[in-house]
Amino acid sequence: MSNNNYDVIIIGGGIAGLSTALEISRANSSLEICLIESRNRLGGRLKYGDTATGKVVDLGGTWVGPLQTHITKLLEEIDVTVFPQYIKGKNIHDNGKSLAKYTGTIPNISLFSLIDVQLYLNELEAKVRAVLKLKPGEELKRARELDSISMYEFSVQQCWTEQARRLVSVVTRMILALESDQVSVYYFLVYAASAGGTRPLIDTDGGGQDSRMAGGTKKLLANILETINSTRAAAQPPLPPLRVVLDSPVQRVDYSCSGTDGRVAIQCHNADNTDGCGTYYARRLVCACPPSALGRVSFCPTPSPWKNSLWTRSRYGCMTKVIVQYPTAFWRTAGYTGQVTCDNPVVKTGVSISASKNKKDKLTGNRPITTILDLCDMHGADGEVVFPALCCFVVGDVGIQFAGLSAQDQKSAIIEHLVVLFGPDADADNVTAYDSIDWLHDPESVKYGGGCPVDVSNIGFYREHAAQLTVPLMCDSGDKVVFFAGTETAARWIGYMDGAVESSKRVTIECLASFGPAPPSPVPAGSPLEGGEDTFSGAGTGNPLIH
C-alpha cells in the first residue's frame, strides 16, 4: 500500500469540504486529513476572476444574509467582514411590454394581479409553515401529491390572472435557475422552509441577498484555508498544512475495506502521477460534493439503488452570471437601486435593438435578463463608488437559448437590454469590463458536475428518497465509513453557503462518532460544532427528511 494514508479524506474543495476540514481540525487536531478536488482550483461553486479593470469579481456564490447564522459565524471567525447590498432608490420591473418603477419586493402590477399574487403567496407560505411545524417522523399532508405537481401546475390552480402566473414563475427561475414546470411543489416547500419562508429567499434587505463579503469569496477561501493550517500548526505536536490535491477527479471508491487494512480506497485520475492515476486510503471518507458529481463516481460495493438514483436524478438549472462594469454608477445617480426583475425574458436571434430610437420597439427585441443586482464594491475612504458594476442573471430555458448565441451576440443582447432599462449610459461604448460564466455549459460543470445554484431532484422523487442524501455507507464489517456533506444535504438554507457550512458540522459529528464510542478527541464546549441558533420559529428542521 502507498503512503497516501489518512485518517479522513474529504472529496470536494468547495465551502462544504473546506468547512469540514476546519471543523475536524478543530475537534481533533491529531487526525491526518487530505482534501481531494476535481478542479484545478478550490471553491467549487464559489469562483472568482480578475477583470480587465483589476476588479476581482465573484462568478459564483456571492451573497449572505443575517438569518444565515452558520456562514455569518464562520465569516466572523475567519475575519471576513460583510457590507450591505445597495438598496437605495427605485427598482425596475420589466414585464415585456413596459417598464415600471417600484420599491420593496413585489413590483407595481394591476390591482387584480396584485391581489392574485398575494393570495398565491399566502397559500404557499401556509404550506411552508406546515413544513416548519413538522416533527421528526411526521409527513406533510398530501406530500406525495405535492411532489408530483409542478410549481407551474400549482400556479395555474391558484392564480386566475396571467400576469400573476408569470410573476410567480420568476421566483422559481430566480431561486433555482429552473422553470416552474421543472420543480415539484413539495421540493420548493422544503427548500423555502429551510430558509424560514419564501420571503427570505427573494428579499434583499434581511434576506439571502442582504450582504456581500469585503474581498469577496477570494478572501473567504484564502482565510478559511489559513485558519485550517493555523489550527493544525497549533496542535501538539504541530501538524503540517492540510494536504490539498487538485486536478484529481475521483473515479472509483471502494468502501468494502477488504484487503486495504480496513481503509476506504479512493482512486483518482491524478495528473501528478506518472501513470495518470493515484490511489488514496482513508479510515473515513467524507463526500462534500453535489449529488450530480457523485453520480459520476463508481462506488464499490454498489450503494442502494435509491441512493444511486437520487444522484443520477439530480440536476442543476441553467444560470449564466454576467458582470458589466462602467466608469460610474449612473443608475445610482438616477435614483435606482440597480435591482431589476423581468418576468418575460426573451432571446431573439439576429434581432438588434440598440439603434432603435423608439422605446416601444426596444421592448420587442432581446431581453435575456431575468434579474439584476448592483455589484459595486464598498465605498472608498472619501465615499466614492468603487468598481461600479451591475450583476445580471440569465436563467432557465432562456438561459439555454442564450447559451446558443456567440460570445459577441450574448454581450450585445445583454447590453441592449441594459440600455432599455437604464438608458444610453449603459451603452457598449461605456462598458469598461464584461465578464460572464455559464454554469450549465461551463467545461468544469460538464466534466465534473456541480453547476449553480443547486442540484434539484426530479419531480416525484424528492419526498420518497431525499433522506438517502445523508445516509452513510457501511463497509463489509458493518462500520460506517463514507459520509456525505454539501448544501443539498442541509436542513437550513439548502442551496446556499450557509447550508454547506451547516452540513460540515453535522458530518463532522457523524464522522468522529464513527471512530468508536469515545472519539479520539471530544468536541470541546463552545466549539462551532455545537451549531448556531435557530434562525426562525417552528419545531421542524426546515427539511422533514433530514434531521
Side-chain angles (χ1 to χ4, degrees):
M1 190 184 298
S2 74
N3 61 356
N4 287 335
N5 288 291
Y6 297 90
D7 293 306
V8 180
I9 286 179
I10 301 165
I11 298 175
I15 185 68
L18 287 168
S19 296
T20 301
L22 176 59
E23 298 293 356
I24 292 176
S25 297
R26 283 171 163 171
N28 186 345
S29 58
S30 67
L31 294 178
E32 286 286 355
I33 309 170
C34 175
L35 188 148
I36 300 174
E37 167 58 40
S38 298
R39 296 167 169 83
N40 62 3
R41 62 175 180 83
L42 292 174
R45 288 170 173 143
L46 305 184
K47 185 176 183 178
Y48 57 86
D50 298 313
T51 71
T53 63
K55 176 182 173 70
V56 178
V57 294
D58 288 324
L59 297 170
T62 302
W63 287 271
V64 296
L67 298 179
Q68 299 174 345
T69 55
H70 294 288
I71 183 65
T72 53
K73 185 176 182 181
L74 173 63
L75 293 178
E76 182 180 341
E77 291 168 353
I78 64 174
D79 195 28
V80 175
T81 59
V82 299
F83 62 96
Q85 176 66 26
Y86 185 79
I87 56 172
K88 296 178 181 177
K90 299 283 187 180
N91 304 328
I92 297 175
H93 175 221
D94 177 0
N95 67 5
K97 297 180 180 179
S98 62
L99 304 179
K101 303 175 185 178
Y102 72 100
T103 57
T105 302
I106 301 177
N108 290 330
I109 53 180
S110 70
L111 178 60
F112 286 123
S113 295
L114 182 62
I115 294 172
D116 204 7
V117 169
Q118 194 58 60
L119 290 174
Y120 171 88
L121 291 177
N122 289 347
E123 180 64 23
L124 199 63
E125 284 302 294
K127 286 179 166 47
V128 170
R129 288 195 297 273
V131 173
L132 288 169
K133 292 177 181 178
L134 292 175
K135 297 177 181 178
E138 292 183 342
E139 183 172 71
L140 185 68
K141 186 178 180 181
R142 297 174 53 222
R144 183 184 295 274
E145 177 186 348
L146 291 171
D147 201 28
S148 66
I149 298 173
S150 72
M151 288 293 286
Y152 173 76
E153 292 173 289
F154 185 68
S155 70
V156 170
Q157 293 174 3
Q158 300 295 322
C159 301
W160 71 84
T161 65
E162 179 62 28
Q163 188 177 35
R165 283 195 290 271
R166 276 206 319 268
L167 194 58
V168 298
S169 291
V170 174
V171 175
T172 312
R173 200 177 298 132
M174 287 172 56
I175 294 172
L176 299 171
L178 291 164
E179 298 299 325
S180 59
D181 60 358
Q182 298 167 341
V183 180
S184 82
V185 176
Y186 184 79
Y187 178 87
F188 187 87
L189 292 177
V190 172
Y191 193 90
S194 75
T198 305
R199 290 296 294 266
L201 291 174
I202 60 179
D203 279 351
T204 302
D205 187 19
Q209 291 69 237
D210 179 88
S211 304
R212 288 166 47 211
M213 290 167 272
T217 54
K218 180 178 183 179
K219 185 172 183 180
L220 164 63
L221 295 172
N223 285 22
I224 193 171
L225 191 58
E226 180 182 344
T227 304
I228 293 169
N229 289 331
S230 63
T231 300
R232 293 171 61 81
Q236 293 300 325
L239 293 174
L242 171 72
R243 183 182 180 189
V244 176
V245 182
L246 298 177
D247 203 15
S248 299
V250 175
Q251 297 177 317
R252 188 173 188 270
V253 171
D254 184 344
Y255 63 96
S256 64
C257 301
S258 299
T260 57
D261 193 26
R263 293 173 181 265
V264 180
I266 302 100
Q267 183 178 335
C268 303
H269 178 77
N270 191 322
D272 292 339
N273 288 282
T274 305
D275 61 0
C277 294
T279 302
Y280 303 82
Y281 301 90
R283 296 167 65 194
R284 299 294 182 265
L285 173 66
V286 175
C287 297
C289 39
S292 61
L294 292 172
R296 300 164 191 247
V297 178
S298 173
F299 283 82
C300 180
T302 302
S304 73
W306 290 123
K307 198 172 189 70
N308 253 331
S309 294
L310 187 65
W311 294 341
T312 57
R313 297 190 192 187
S314 295
R315 72 203 189 287
Y316 42 91
C318 184
M319 171 181 284
T320 296
K321 185 174 184 180
V322 180
I323 298 168
V324 187
Q325 292 181 56
Y326 291 98
T328 64
F330 54 81
W331 56 93
R332 292 189 180 186
T333 306
Y336 293 106
T337 62
Q339 187 168 327
V340 176
T341 298
C342 178
D343 59 30
N344 193 27
V346 64
V347 170
K348 296 185 178 181
T349 306
V351 176
S352 177
I353 58 175
S354 58
S356 175
K357 295 182 180 180
N358 188 317
K359 189 174 183 179
K360 184 176 180 180
D361 289 342
K362 290 185 177 184
L363 287 172
T364 65
N366 281 300
R367 298 185 336 280
I369 304 168
T370 289
T371 187
I372 301 174
L373 288 168
D374 178 292
L375 204 70
C376 303
D377 280 356
M378 291 180 66
H379 285 186
D382 57 357
E384 85 279 10
V385 177
V386 180
F387 287 117
L390 291 169
C391 181
C392 313
F393 292 92
V394 184
V395 294
D397 286 354
V398 166
I400 296 176
Q401 289 180 284
F402 185 76
L405 302 178
S406 68
Q408 183 55 50
D409 285 345
Q410 287 183 8
K411 181 176 180 180
S412 297
I414 291 291
I415 301 302
E416 287 170 354
H417 198 176
L418 291 174
V419 170
V420 170
L421 296 166
F422 296 108
D425 285 336
D427 194 69
D429 292 340
N430 297 323
V431 174
T432 58
Y434 179 96
D435 296 272
S436 69
I437 181 171
D438 175 358
W439 278 94
L440 177 62
H441 302 99
D442 181 71
E444 288 184 347
S445 300
V446 172
K447 192 172 183 179
Y448 307 123
C452 278
V454 64
D455 281 10
V456 178
S457 294
N458 288 354
I459 291 177
F461 204 78
Y462 190 73
R463 168 200 158 270
E464 190 74 27
H465 307 296
Q468 292 289 328
L469 283 168
T470 57
V471 175
L473 299 179
M474 293 186 290
C475 66
D476 289 350
S477 65
D479 293 332
K480 296 176 181 178
V481 292
V482 182
F483 303 87
F484 299 93
T487 191
E488 286 86 359
T489 72
R492 307 285 197 203
W493 286 96
I494 302 170
Y496 290 77
M497 286 182 266
D498 190 71
V501 176
E502 182 227 64
S503 76
S504 73
K505 297 179 179 181
R506 169 191 51 77
V507 82
T508 297
I509 293 172
E510 293 174 350
C511 182
L512 293 183
S514 72
F515 281 105
S521 175
V523 178
S527 163
L529 287 177
E530 293 185 336
E533 299 176 358
D534 285 346
T535 59
F536 44 86
S537 60
T541 62
N543 189 336
L545 303 170
I546 300 171
H547 303 286

